Amino acid sequence: MINKRIKASLDDIHKFLGSPVIRKTTYRNSTYYCLNDIILLATDSVNPKDYIKKLRNRDRVLAVEWSDLIRILPGETDGGPQSMKFVDAQSFLRII
């Protein structure tokens, strides 16, 4: 049985990822979440690309695993579909 505190934390993560401001896409029957949207919502950073770059520089293990965590997938923008960085829920937890 899952500890109540862990279950509450998992529920919070699902609510966070379910936010309407986080773009989502489906790839190979899995849901992926836009990494830039996650960074904007989870941090005070106004520049998610710079935040991610600094994060990777600080955490060498994350930098090595990066290509396994990130998927470049088409995402909707105001200017039409663009290639964007997406993560699944497990990768999201590793990054944060």
PDB file of all heavy atoms in Angstrom, residues 9-27:
ATOM      1  N   SER A   9       1.737  13.397  -2.591  1.00  0.00           N
ATOM      2  CA  SER A   9       2.753  14.001  -3.453  1.00  0.00           C
ATOM      3  C   SER A   9       2.513  13.631  -4.915  1.00  0.00           C
ATOM      4  O   SER A   9       2.641  14.469  -5.799  1.00  0.00           O
ATOM      5  CB  SER A   9       4.150  13.550  -3.029  1.00  0.00           C
ATOM      6  OG  SER A   9       4.448  14.018  -1.741  1.00  0.00           O
ATOM      7  N   LEU A  10       2.196  12.371  -5.157  1.00  0.00           N
ATOM      8  CA  LEU A  10       1.909  11.940  -6.530  1.00  0.00           C
ATOM      9  C   LEU A  10       0.688  12.655  -7.081  1.00  0.00           C
ATOM     10  O   LEU A  10       0.669  13.044  -8.255  1.00  0.00           O
ATOM     11  CB  LEU A  10       1.712  10.423  -6.581  1.00  0.00           C
ATOM     12  CG  LEU A  10       2.961   9.576  -6.334  1.00  0.00           C
ATOM     13  CD1 LEU A  10       2.593   8.106  -6.246  1.00  0.00           C
ATOM     14  CD2 LEU A  10       3.997   9.812  -7.409  1.00  0.00           C
ATOM     15  N   ASP A  11      -0.329  12.844  -6.246  1.00  0.00           N
ATOM     16  CA  ASP A  11      -1.517  13.576  -6.677  1.00  0.00           C
ATOM     17  C   ASP A  11      -1.150  15.023  -7.043  1.00  0.00           C
ATOM     18  O   ASP A  11      -1.656  15.559  -8.030  1.00  0.00           O
ATOM     19  CB  ASP A  11      -2.588  13.570  -5.579  1.00  0.00           C
ATOM     20  CG  ASP A  11      -3.222  12.199  -5.393  1.00  0.00           C
ATOM     21  OD1 ASP A  11      -3.068  11.336  -6.278  1.00  0.00           O
ATOM     22  OD2 ASP A  11      -3.868  11.999  -4.345  1.00  0.00           O
ATOM     23  N   ASP A  12      -0.284  15.648  -6.244  1.00  0.00           N
ATOM     24  CA  ASP A  12       0.163  17.016  -6.538  1.00  0.00           C
ATOM     25  C   ASP A  12       0.918  17.083  -7.869  1.00  0.00           C
ATOM     26  O   ASP A  12       0.729  18.018  -8.640  1.00  0.00           O
ATOM     27  CB  ASP A  12       1.068  17.553  -5.418  1.00  0.00           C
ATOM     28  CG  ASP A  12       0.297  17.814  -4.131  1.00  0.00           C
ATOM     29  OD1 ASP A  12      -0.945  17.934  -4.187  1.00  0.00           O
ATOM     30  OD2 ASP A  12       0.950  17.889  -3.075  1.00  0.00           O
ATOM     31  N   ILE A  13       1.748  16.083  -8.124  1.00  0.00           N
ATOM     32  CA  ILE A  13       2.496  16.050  -9.386  1.00  0.00           C
ATOM     33  C   ILE A  13       1.535  15.911 -10.560  1.00  0.00           C
ATOM     34  O   ILE A  13       1.666  16.603 -11.564  1.00  0.00           O
ATOM     35  CB  ILE A  13       3.530  14.909  -9.374  1.00  0.00           C
ATOM     36  CG1 ILE A  13       4.654  15.250  -8.386  1.00  0.00           C
ATOM     37  CG2 ILE A  13       4.090  14.655 -10.765  1.00  0.00           C
ATOM     38  CD1 ILE A  13       5.563  14.101  -8.052  1.00  0.00           C
ATOM     39  N   HIS A  14       0.541  15.040 -10.434  1.00  0.00           N
ATOM     40  CA  HIS A  14      -0.438  14.869 -11.512  1.00  0.00           C
ATOM     41  C   HIS A  14      -1.238  16.156 -11.737  1.00  0.00           C
ATOM     42  O   HIS A  14      -1.518  16.525 -12.878  1.00  0.00           O
ATOM     43  CB  HIS A  14      -1.375  13.697 -11.230  1.00  0.00           C
ATOM     44  CG  HIS A  14      -0.718  12.377 -11.414  1.00  0.00           C
ATOM     45  ND1 HIS A  14      -0.397  11.859 -12.646  1.00  0.00           N
ATOM     46  CD2 HIS A  14      -0.290  11.460 -10.515  1.00  0.00           C
ATOM     47  CE1 HIS A  14       0.185  10.694 -12.512  1.00  0.00           C
ATOM     48  NE2 HIS A  14       0.269  10.417 -11.218  1.00  0.00           N
ATOM     49  N   LYS A  15      -1.588  16.858 -10.661  1.00  0.00           N
ATOM     50  CA  LYS A  15      -2.293  18.138 -10.805  1.00  0.00           C
ATOM     51  C   LYS A  15      -1.408  19.155 -11.507  1.00  0.00           C
ATOM     52  O   LYS A  15      -1.858  19.898 -12.381  1.00  0.00           O
ATOM     53  CB  LYS A  15      -2.715  18.674  -9.434  1.00  0.00           C
ATOM     54  CG  LYS A  15      -3.871  17.944  -8.824  1.00  0.00           C
ATOM     55  CD  LYS A  15      -4.190  18.508  -7.449  1.00  0.00           C
ATOM     56  CE  LYS A  15      -5.184  17.636  -6.725  1.00  0.00           C
ATOM     57  NZ  LYS A  15      -5.370  18.041  -5.334  1.00  0.00           N
ATOM     58  N   PHE A  16      -0.121  19.204 -11.108  1.00  0.00           N
ATOM     59  CA  PHE A  16       0.822  20.138 -11.722  1.00  0.00           C
ATOM     60  C   PHE A  16       0.946  19.861 -13.212  1.00  0.00           C
ATOM     61  O   PHE A  16       0.821  20.766 -14.040  1.00  0.00           O
ATOM     62  CB  PHE A  16       2.192  20.027 -11.029  1.00  0.00           C
ATOM     63  CG  PHE A  16       3.250  20.903 -11.637  1.00  0.00           C
ATOM     64  CD1 PHE A  16       3.329  22.241 -11.287  1.00  0.00           C
ATOM     65  CD2 PHE A  16       4.156  20.398 -12.544  1.00  0.00           C
ATOM     66  CE1 PHE A  16       4.293  23.058 -11.844  1.00  0.00           C
ATOM     67  CE2 PHE A  16       5.123  21.207 -13.104  1.00  0.00           C
ATOM     68  CZ  PHE A  16       5.194  22.537 -12.749  1.00  0.00           C
ATOM     69  N   LEU A  17       1.189  18.600 -13.578  1.00  0.00           N
ATOM     70  CA  LEU A  17       1.353  18.248 -14.984  1.00  0.00           C
ATOM     71  C   LEU A  17       0.054  18.392 -15.763  1.00  0.00           C
ATOM     72  O   LEU A  17       0.075  18.564 -16.981  1.00  0.00           O
ATOM     73  CB  LEU A  17       1.898  16.829 -15.116  1.00  0.00           C
ATOM     74  CG  LEU A  17       3.344  16.639 -14.655  1.00  0.00           C
ATOM     75  CD1 LEU A  17       3.728  15.167 -14.721  1.00  0.00           C
ATOM     76  CD2 LEU A  17       4.306  17.487 -15.463  1.00  0.00           C
ATOM     77  N   GLY A  18      -1.068  18.351 -15.073  1.00  0.00           N
ATOM     78  CA  GLY A  18      -2.362  18.515 -15.728  1.00  0.00           C
ATOM     79  C   GLY A  18      -2.753  19.962 -15.939  1.00  0.00           C
ATOM     80  O   GLY A  18      -3.810  20.256 -16.496  1.00  0.00           O
ATOM     81  N   SER A  19      -1.890  20.881 -15.509  1.00  0.00           N
ATOM     82  CA  SER A  19      -2.175  22.311 -15.661  1.00  0.00           C
ATOM     83  C   SER A  19      -2.430  22.662 -17.126  1.00  0.00           C
ATOM     84  O   SER A  19      -1.722  22.193 -18.016  1.00  0.00           O
ATOM     85  CB  SER A  19      -0.992  23.131 -15.132  1.00  0.00           C
ATOM     86  OG  SER A  19      -1.145  24.483 -15.484  1.00  0.00           O
ATOM     87  N   PRO A  20      -3.424  23.498 -17.388  1.00  0.00           N
ATOM     88  CA  PRO A  20      -3.718  23.869 -18.776  1.00  0.00           C
ATOM     89  C   PRO A  20      -2.612  24.687 -19.442  1.00  0.00           C
ATOM     90  O   PRO A  20      -2.576  24.787 -20.662  1.00  0.00           O
ATOM     91  CB  PRO A  20      -5.015  24.675 -18.674  1.00  0.00           C
ATOM     92  CG  PRO A  20      -5.153  25.058 -17.255  1.00  0.00           C
ATOM     93  CD  PRO A  20      -4.367  24.086 -16.441  1.00  0.00           C
ATOM     94  N   VAL A  21      -1.683  25.257 -18.669  1.00  0.00           N
ATOM     95  CA  VAL A  21      -0.601  26.037 -19.283  1.00  0.00           C
ATOM     96  C   VAL A  21       0.564  25.162 -19.733  1.00  0.00           C
ATOM     97  O   VAL A  21       1.459  25.643 -20.425  1.00  0.00           O
ATOM     98  CB  VAL A  21      -0.075  27.156 -18.347  1.00  0.00           C
ATOM     99  CG1 VAL A  21      -1.091  28.248 -18.153  1.00  0.00           C
ATOM    100  CG2 VAL A  21       0.372  26.592 -17.029  1.00  0.00           C
ATOM    101  N   ILE A  22       0.558  23.889 -19.376  1.00  0.00           N
ATOM    102  CA  ILE A  22       1.605  22.975 -19.831  1.00  0.00           C
ATOM    103  C   ILE A  22       1.100  22.240 -21.070  1.00  0.00           C
ATOM    104  O   ILE A  22       0.111  21.511 -21.013  1.00  0.00           O
ATOM    105  CB  ILE A  22       2.001  21.972 -18.731  1.00  0.00           C
ATOM    106  CG1 ILE A  22       2.613  22.717 -17.546  1.00  0.00           C
ATOM    107  CG2 ILE A  22       2.990  20.938 -19.280  1.00  0.00           C
ATOM    108  CD1 ILE A  22       3.011  21.835 -16.400  1.00  0.00           C
ATOM    109  N   ARG A  23       1.781  22.473 -22.186  1.00  0.00           N
ATOM    110  CA  ARG A  23       1.398  21.792 -23.428  1.00  0.00           C
ATOM    111  C   ARG A  23       1.745  20.313 -23.323  1.00  0.00           C
ATOM    112  O   ARG A  23       2.768  19.937 -22.760  1.00  0.00           O
ATOM    113  CB  ARG A  23       2.122  22.424 -24.620  1.00  0.00           C
ATOM    114  CG  ARG A  23       1.576  23.806 -24.943  1.00  0.00           C
ATOM    115  CD  ARG A  23       2.415  24.498 -25.958  1.00  0.00           C
ATOM    116  NE  ARG A  23       3.580  25.042 -25.262  1.00  0.00           N
ATOM    117  CZ  ARG A  23       4.401  25.946 -25.775  1.00  0.00           C
ATOM    118  NH1 ARG A  23       4.213  26.377 -26.998  1.00  0.00           N
ATOM    119  NH2 ARG A  23       5.412  26.396 -25.083  1.00  0.00           N
ATOM    120  N   LYS A  24       0.884  19.495 -23.882  1.00  0.00           N
ATOM    121  CA  LYS A  24       1.038  18.049 -23.823  1.00  0.00           C
ATOM    122  C   LYS A  24       0.934  17.473 -25.230  1.00  0.00           C
ATOM    123  O   LYS A  24       0.296  18.049 -26.100  1.00  0.00           O
ATOM    124  CB  LYS A  24      -0.052  17.434 -22.947  1.00  0.00           C
ATOM    125  CG  LYS A  24      -0.044  17.908 -21.518  1.00  0.00           C
ATOM    126  CD  LYS A  24      -1.403  17.671 -20.867  1.00  0.00           C
ATOM    127  CE  LYS A  24      -1.593  18.465 -19.616  1.00  0.00           C
ATOM    128  NZ  LYS A  24      -1.578  19.900 -19.771  1.00  0.00           N
ATOM    129  N   THR A  25       1.560  16.327 -25.409  1.00  0.00           N
ATOM    130  CA  THR A  25       1.433  15.599 -26.655  1.00  0.00           C
ATOM    131  C   THR A  25       1.538  14.116 -26.346  1.00  0.00           C
ATOM    132  O   THR A  25       2.018  13.725 -25.282  1.00  0.00           O
ATOM    133  CB  THR A  25       2.506  16.026 -27.687  1.00  0.00           C
ATOM    134  OG1 THR A  25       2.178  15.498 -28.961  1.00  0.00           O
ATOM    135  CG2 THR A  25       3.891  15.593 -27.277  1.00  0.00           C
ATOM    136  N   THR A  26       1.065  13.292 -27.250  1.00  0.00           N
ATOM    137  CA  THR A  26       1.143  11.851 -27.079  1.00  0.00           C
ATOM    138  C   THR A  26       2.128  11.299 -28.099  1.00  0.00           C
ATOM    139  O   THR A  26       2.101  11.676 -29.275  1.00  0.00           O
ATOM    140  CB  THR A  26      -0.231  11.193 -27.275  1.00  0.00           C
ATOM    141  OG1 THR A  26      -1.145  11.785 -26.343  1.00  0.00           O
ATOM    142  CG2 THR A  26      -0.184   9.702 -27.038  1.00  0.00           C
ATOM    143  N   TYR A  27       2.996  10.427 -27.617  1.00  0.00           N
ATOM    144  CA  TYR A  27       3.993   9.795 -28.475  1.00  0.00           C
ATOM    145  C   TYR A  27       4.147   8.354 -28.012  1.00  0.00           C
ATOM    146  O   TYR A  27       4.419   8.115 -26.834  1.00  0.00           O
ATOM    147  CB  TYR A  27       5.317  10.556 -28.378  1.00  0.00           C
ATOM    148  CG  TYR A  27       6.457   9.936 -29.138  1.00  0.00           C
ATOM    149  CD1 TYR A  27       6.482   9.971 -30.523  1.00  0.00           C
ATOM    150  CD2 TYR A  27       7.507   9.328 -28.471  1.00  0.00           C
ATOM    151  CE1 TYR A  27       7.536   9.418 -31.233  1.00  0.00           C
ATOM    152  CE2 TYR A  27       8.565   8.772 -29.167  1.00  0.00           C
ATOM    153  CZ  TYR A  27       8.573   8.817 -30.545  1.00  0.00           C
ATOM    154  OH  TYR A  27       9.621   8.256 -31.241  1.00  0.00           O
TER     155      TYR A  27
END
